[in-house]
Amino acid sequence: MSACAPTRTTNSPRTESVHQPHSPPPAPHRRFRIAGVDVSASIAVFLIALPLSLGIALATGAPLQAGLVAAAVGGLVAGRIGGCPLQVSGPAAGLTVVTADLIHRYGWRTTCAITVLAGLAQLGLGCLRVARTALAVSPAIVHGMLAGIGVTIAVAQLHIVLGGTPQSSVLDNLRALPAQLVNLHPAAVIVSVLTLTLLLLWPRIPGRAGRMLRKIPAALVAVAGSTAAASLAGLSLAKVDLPSWSSHALAGLPEGPVLGLIAAVLTTTLVCSVQSLLGAVAVDKLAAARPGLTARVGRADLDRELLGQGAANIVSGALGGLPVAGVAVRSSANVNAGAVGRNSTMLHGVLVVVAALLMVPVLEFIPLASLAALVMAVGIQMVSLHHIRTVTRHREVLVYTVTTLGVVALGVLEGVTLGIAVAVAVAMQRLARTRITHEEKEGVHHVCVRGQLTFLAVPRLSRALHLVPQGTPAVVELDGSFMDHAAYESLQDWQNTHTTQGGSVELTGRRPGARSSEPVPLAEGHGESSVGCLCRPWTPWRNHQCEPSRSAAPADHTGAPGEPSGPSSPGGQSGRSARDSRSGHQLARGISAFQRNTAPLVRGELARLAREGQRPSQLFLTCADSRLVTSMITSSGPGDLFVVRNVGNLVPLPGEESGDDSVAAAIEYAVDVLKVRSITVCGHSGCGAMQTLLTTEPDGPPTPLRRWLRHGLPSLERMTDDGRPYARLAGRAPADAVEQLCLTNVVQQLEHLHAHESVSRALREGALELHGMYFHVGEAQAYLLTGTDGDEVFDHVEAAGLSA
């Protein structure tokens, strides 16, 4: 979808009003101005961070001040240095189990030293620029790790909710749970139930009052409400105890076995880094959903983010704070609250410092049971049903389950190691799993290979091939994307032997050892050649170039509408029949391949869209040219684009005489019913409609094509008007008049869109954006219209500039 994102350049007259960061540098007295939305966002994040930081510190067994130190350092240090300006860092629930285990084994001061060493390790990884490599971990392992941590947190905090004390491991907590249920503390249970009830019901308050009240974070309401109720009822409960900062313990020299300390540093580094980097990617996606925000803050620099997290962990550990990582709850709240820069993250850190120094008497009213209930709810939410459905759809349940159980039973590092081992084993099993069948149909022997063809499958392949009698026609269908050298040689040797013995061999699928873009060559049998298309439909992206009819086609055929097909020949009718037969066979094979390979992967998503209906974000209006694959050039999927295609990507002006109800109806439906947020008009190189506009005589017969192309005449007039600027590509002039008209046509059709009432109304309300796009087919390069009426420039869309 990022191919359609609006792009602005510094010379754009609209830039000043839309994207302030690209305007000329402000005056010196405005350099440190803080946006009002950043202030309000920082307050919202602070109100969420304060109770969660105390709750996470309680869950780890660390001093409660350590949670406040980590929150302040995460906001100030990671917020200032990190590469994701909108991500909020602090003590994270994902680190609770790791930190609690470290405190139990080595004590608090050594745990702080381990945090410092983990920060140094993160700095080293950031300098090596390996942040992207960390994202190569299977999502099933990451989600399984977080789910295991969530289960561990929830089981441990359940003991505090019931008025008891958690044990050191999940299994011990589960064994002690029956006795804890017998000896529960009624006051703690009442406060915990009240906290969970407020946490659950507050976001669901209906009506206008609910919309206003929901601006107050549910976590703050839950803790404040339960604290007030406990104080008014005079309940006897353990409460927050914040000793004087003068007695706060700082980091000391690490003490313990060297190998154990190294493992502890690696575990902390792994969890902190993966959680922070995944959080940065998620924040990028949230920012992309807000128009103009990505252009203002830019995409996350993951290597810089790793450096910022490392610096924050060094400072937090040295000051006696918990390990720091990016926190999804606070980051999403920051984006949703309207933050536009890193100032909101840093201000939230300042507010935490103020609260830690001035609000200690107020914080000491909070019952520990309320904080435990809050953290238990966070732990339960980490076991995401959405993630379970996703890994199930991708057949990764085994990896997810093993990782989760490993983290729960053995620990984070051990569980992740188990998950990686199972993921590798599953990948190897899938690579080695090959189904080979042999059958005879009407005297032709078919050997079908489903899956990857490696040396492990060579014995079965050899057995199947030797079932083909000598001197008979054979078809070998290779339905896979990989073949190693051993399988290649085995298949080639059999093919040579079979053909020399009077048989014929036809290979379908991909050529052994070929790149995925290369079609299978025609294999010659005894005295004759096989005919027909031997490409797997769609997969090679070569449009079945091996068809014999393609060889006679011109080298540069643009497919202009209305062009004669060439002189007829005596065999023309039979040739056309053969092509029709091949086309029908190709269509059937393509549909069959979809049902076999693709349908099982997308069935779940299409079922969801069938239930919920379509909610596309864009209307994409482009040409009917077969070379334009909208989902490919926009990286979109089902439900993303509402696509309208016609000859020449034209938008007729509304009106009874000149209008066209089909295009106008699609525009009205997209804007008024589907509520799309943007409309993109996409032209392309070598457009046959534009060629026809340039070459057709005005007094020709009024064919349907000519009547339709009259809607493109304003584009032709605009191009020939010397008083108007020429649409152009950044860095070079248009190659010829056809390309010039293709570019001009996009600009003209955008003007036509303004004449439609639904579009003009949505533009006035600020609910719609219009984008121009040009796709050069030969270069596979997309260009976006970045200028205005005064400078109509189509600029490159670079791969590095796309949103994650």
Side-chain angles (χ1 to χ4, degrees), residues 410-609:
L410 303 175
V412 174
L413 185 61
E414 294 84 354
V416 170
T417 303
L418 277 177
I420 292 174
V422 173
V424 171
V426 169
M428 293 298 295
Q429 188 267 342
R430 289 176 179 172
L431 182 63
R433 185 175 62 187
T434 307
R435 182 186 176 194
I436 303 175
T437 60
H438 167 265
E439 62 179 345
E440 181 183 358
K441 294 180 181 179
E442 300 177 353
V444 179
H445 290 262
H446 294 262
V447 177
C448 181
V449 180
R450 296 277 189 268
Q452 319 311 321
L453 200 52
T454 66
F455 67 93
L456 298 173
V458 167
R460 287 183 290 134
L461 175 65
S462 181
R463 284 196 297 269
L465 293 176
H466 281 83
L467 293 176
V468 180
Q470 296 180 3
T472 59
V475 175
V476 180
E477 181 181 349
L478 304 176
D479 187 9
S481 59
F482 174 77
M483 175 184 294
D484 69 4
H485 186 67
Y488 170 80
E489 284 199 346
S490 176
L491 184 58
Q492 187 182 50
D493 291 343
W494 173 83
Q495 180 183 13
N496 294 336
T497 302
H498 190 72
T499 54
T500 57
Q501 293 174 347
S504 65
V505 178
E506 178 181 324
L507 298 178
T508 65
R510 296 176 183 173
R511 184 171 64 208
R515 295 187 298 271
S516 62
S517 62
E518 294 180 350
V520 179
L522 297 177
E524 294 202 358
H526 185 64
E528 63 179 1
S529 297
S530 304
V531 294
C533 176
L534 302 182
C535 290
R536 286 187 64 198
W538 193 247
T539 307
W541 297 100
R542 289 287 294 273
N543 198 21
H544 308 283
Q545 296 276 341
C546 60
E547 288 187 15
S549 60
R550 295 281 180 183
S551 60
D556 185 18
H557 182 65
T558 58
E563 286 189 6
S565 58
S568 60
S569 62
Q573 186 63 36
S574 61
R576 189 180 305 111
S577 300
R579 286 193 297 272
D580 292 343
S581 176
R582 283 195 299 270
S583 298
H585 179 61
Q586 174 183 314
L587 177 63
R589 289 176 61 245
I591 296 173
S592 176
F594 166 81
Q595 293 298 147
R596 181 177 63 251
N597 301 324
T598 308
L601 302 178
V602 301
R603 187 170 287 119
E605 177 65 11
L606 292 179
R608 182 188 67 80
L609 290 172

Side-chain angles (χ1 to χ4, degrees), residues 210-229:
R211 287 195 297 271
M212 296 296 296
L213 292 174
R214 284 196 296 269
K215 293 181 179 180
I216 306 174
L220 177 67
V221 172
V223 173
S226 59
T227 300

